Amino acid sequence: MTALDEKNQDSATATVETPAETGSCAAPAPAAGATGADGLGCHAGKEELHRAAVAAGKSETLEQYAADYPMGPHDQPQSMCPAFGSLRVGLRMRRTATVLSGSACCVYGLTFTSHFYGARRTVGYVPFNSETLVTGKLFEDIRDAVYKLADPELYDTVVVTNLCVPTASGVPLQLLPKEINGVRIIGIDVPGFGVPTHAEAKDVLAGAMLKYARGEAEHGPVQAPRGGVSMKPTVTMLGEMFPADPMSIGALLEPMGLACGPVVPTREWRELYGALDCAAVAAIHPFYTASIREFQAAGRKVVGSAPVGLDGTAAWLEAIGEACGVGAKNIEAAKAKFLPAIRGALSSKPIKGRITMSGYEGSELIVARLLVESGADVRYVGTACPQTRWSDADREWLEAKGVKVQYRASLEQDLAAYAEFKPDLAIGTTPVVQKAKENSTPSLYFTNLISARPLMGVAGAGSLAQVINAAMAGKERFDTMTDFFEGVGTGHATGVWEDMPTDRPEFRAEYKRRMEKEAKKRKAEEML
């Protein structure tokens, strides 16, 4: 076995292979449909994998996911593998080992993506084949690997994640020990056919950790946060934020006698206790349904929206103050201290132009609010995340300003909004940005260029203007490039040709017909 030592800073995947050294805990046999004709089932299709998972005993998990992360109004947004979200949460935590259980191709893709995003931790992988999957030996291998990893000198927690095939096969991570040698063991299922987006997968792991930590706190003393216990009542932040935003929020809370608590997902286990020991929870990202459930079980009040812009900050301070029992005088003192500065920042750095926006991080609505308050003509905001009660205030405010809000937005809906509103700037996912640039429209990738900036309070009020205005000012350069490349062709005729390629739509139609016929044949064989 390759130990997942926190000191190991290589961007590599460790293959965890261990002999059986501990007692046996037999796992139920998987549903046969999960393994598929290729023995791994990756291509069985979403419906078949879901059916197999239910047959294998995962119905309770999938029902909870369906309630927490509703799909509608259409199926699933086009996005990266959702397990990237939970993987990222674990990799960012101190003294936390991460193990993936899934097809090798999936594990490779996830670890590659995680390292691309800056993770410098080894990721464990328990390999399997058709035999170990069908016989239940895979669960035994995972259990043995966990026992090998559970070294309290190195780790506080070991997180084991089932990807699509082990989930569909019913690999029962819930049968793993809850702790080994003082190391917490957390097993979660994050299948692509049950968790819609990577943003919501963050909540799957964060919620599981909060539930475990809440149980620990209810049974006795727990470890204090690294920075000590705050002398003031704290407000826990729910959702990943730009690193400077918690400091800005802390400044906003200070006149009310409050302090900014930990940000969930946390960076180490002991912060979970501090997050639970709060006066209120600010659901900055409103889709953390499982985490909110744990906070509410702990008796904490939850407040939606965020302190963005003038109206947003004023409303948020009032809501937080009420939730924490702060007197009206102190709430007004906080507003009087910061609202004039926010108003000044917004007016000094106006944004003029029509914008459509979409993304999959979960902060799209609050960013749209900030853009509107900065003077932008925002016509559409799409988010891959679902509608929840915690985003109602943002949705209602935006709709009152004439902004179309689309939850669970598909790529087709984002592109249709771009075509309908003809913006001066398109903010969105990679394919939206690509489409806009093809049409000589300035565009910005939401995750890297918009989401990764301060948004809260005074610091956030003018943070977007520079990059937004600079992008829109580049319209002339796009027009120049379009003129320069005029005539090089598009689609099948892209490029410069002596003999223009002839389009053959009948060939594509024939291939499509054959593929559909083959799919129907495989489906009929499965039914037999």
Side-chain angles (χ1 to χ4, degrees):
M1 166 185 153
T2 303
L4 304 189
D5 193 332
E6 183 125 345
K7 297 177 182 178
N8 182 348
Q9 297 294 301
D10 295 331
S11 297
T13 302
T15 301
V16 182
E17 299 179 272
T18 61
E21 294 183 353
T22 58
S24 176
C25 183
T35 58
D38 62 358
L40 296 179
C42 289
H43 312 295
K46 176 181 176 181
E47 292 182 2
E48 176 62 21
L49 288 169
H50 191 282
R51 185 202 63 76
V54 170
K58 293 288 185 177
S59 58
E60 184 178 349
T61 297
L62 294 177
E63 287 169 3
Q64 186 64 68
Y65 287 168
D68 287 348
Y69 318 117
M71 292 288 189
H74 53 82
D75 193 1
Q76 192 167 1
Q78 301 96 320
S79 180
M80 68 182 73
C81 171
F84 170 64
S86 56
L87 176 63
R88 175 173 171 171
V89 168
L91 290 176
R92 295 176 72 190
M93 292 184 69
R94 294 187 181 95
R95 294 179 53 81
T96 299
T98 298
V99 179
L100 294 177
S101 170
S103 299
C105 55
C106 300
V107 173
Y108 171 78
L110 285 167
T111 53
F112 177 87
T113 305
S114 69
H115 298 317
F116 175 77
Y117 274 82
R120 299 185 65 195
R121 302 280 187 84
T122 303
V123 178
Y125 169 48
V126 181
F128 66 89
N129 55 34
S130 298
E131 179 181 350
T132 60
L133 186 67
V134 171
T135 61
K137 180 64 166 56
L138 172 58
F139 174 76
E140 297 294 335
D141 291 343
I142 292 172
R143 188 173 184 272
D144 293 339
V146 168
Y147 268 93
K148 284 283 190 179
L149 283 172
D151 182 351
E153 293 297 318
L154 297 174
Y155 302 116
D156 296 327
T157 314
V158 175
V159 177
V160 184
T161 302
N162 269 345
L163 305 180
C164 287
V165 172
T167 294
S169 303
V171 176
L173 296 183
Q174 67 273 16
L175 296 184
L176 291 173
K178 299 304 179 186
E179 72 81 28
I180 301 171
N181 299 326
V183 178
R184 304 163 187 85
I185 310 300
I186 295 181
I188 57 174
D189 291 274
V190 189
F193 57 86
V195 181
T197 67
H198 81 284
E200 289 155 295
K202 297 175 185 177
D203 179 49
V204 172
L205 182 52
M209 288 184 165
L210 283 167
K211 183 175 183 178
Y212 196 121
R214 183 168 63 84
E216 290 179 314
E218 289 173 351
H219 284 88
V222 293
Q223 194 175 24
R226 187 178 295 269
V229 178
S230 172
M231 300 304 293
K232 298 178 180 179
T234 60
V235 177
T236 293
M237 302 291 119
L238 188 53
E240 290 185 315
M241 293 185 289
F242 186 75
D245 277 335
M247 292 184 285
S248 296
I249 292 174
L252 293 172
L253 295 173
E254 194 274 333
M256 297 195 295
L258 304 173
C260 184
V263 176
V264 176
T266 61
R267 292 305 184 98
E268 62 179 320
W269 187 270
R270 64 170 73 180
E271 290 180 0
L272 293 165
Y273 307 130
L276 288 162
D277 185 23
C278 64
V281 178
I284 304 296
H285 288 195
F287 56 85
Y288 277 73
T289 309
S291 299
I292 288 174
R293 183 165 54 247
E294 297 307 318
F295 283 117
Q296 290 178 326
R300 308 304 181 222
K301 294 182 179 179
V302 181
V303 175
S305 193
V308 293
L310 191 66
D311 290 355
T313 301
W316 188 83
L317 288 172
E318 292 172 1
I320 289 292
E322 180 181 351
C324 296
V326 175
K329 182 179 180 180
N330 287 347
I331 295 175
E332 291 303 316
K335 291 165 64 177
K337 181 176 181 180
F338 292 104
L339 295 187
I342 292 173
R343 183 183 292 109
L346 291 171
S347 61
S348 66
K349 298 180 180 179
I351 297 174
K352 300 299 180 184
R354 182 179 300 174
I355 297 174
T356 59
M357 192 182 74
S358 56
Y360 45 61
E361 300 296 336
S363 57
E364 289 76 26
L365 271 64
I366 60 174
V367 171
R369 288 192 65 157
L370 185 55
L371 289 173
V372 171
E373 289 214 39
S374 298
D377 176 19
V378 179
R379 297 296 182 91
Y380 169 87
V381 54
T383 176
C385 296
Q387 180 175 352
T388 71
R389 57 176 290 198
W390 313 110
S391 67
D392 281 348
D394 299 323
R395 175 185 55 78
E396 292 166 359
W397 189 92
L398 288 167
E399 290 177 342
K401 302 291 184 181
V403 181
K404 180 181 179 181
V405 177
Q406 178 64 59
Y407 293 99
R408 286 283 186 241
S410 66
L411 173 59
E412 291 77 12
Q413 288 169 321
D414 293 341
L415 293 177
Y418 165 77
E420 177 183 354
F421 297 116
K422 297 178 174 57
D424 301 307
L425 175 71
I427 301 172
T429 55
T430 303
V432 174
V433 169
Q434 176 184 351
K435 181 68 174 179
K437 288 182 177 179
E438 286 178 352
N439 288 279
S440 302
T441 302
S443 55
L444 295 171
Y445 179 40
F446 181 87
T447 298
N448 286 6
L449 298 174
I450 302 299
S451 181
R453 292 177 180 275
L455 301 173
M456 314 298 167
V458 180
S463 68
L464 297 180
Q466 183 176 0
V467 66
I468 296 289
N469 289 331
M472 288 193 290
K475 169 64 175 172
E476 185 177 343
R477 289 187 295 123
F478 279 96
D479 291 337
T480 300
M481 286 189 289
T482 299
D483 292 340
F484 179 81
F485 288 105
E486 184 69 30
V488 299
T490 60
H492 74 280
T494 299
V496 180
W497 307 90
E498 291 185 4
D499 298 315
M500 184 68 68
T502 302
D503 193 15
R504 298 288 187 180
E506 66 274 15
F507 289 173
R508 291 194 295 271
E510 174 62 17
Y511 294 147
K512 181 180 180 182
R513 185 190 67 79
R514 291 184 186 180
M515 294 296 290
E516 290 174 347
K517 182 179 179 180
E518 186 64 26
K520 290 179 181 179
K521 180 182 177 181
R522 287 198 302 268
K523 188 68 175 178
E525 291 173 348
E526 290 172 5
M527 294 177 68
L528 296 176

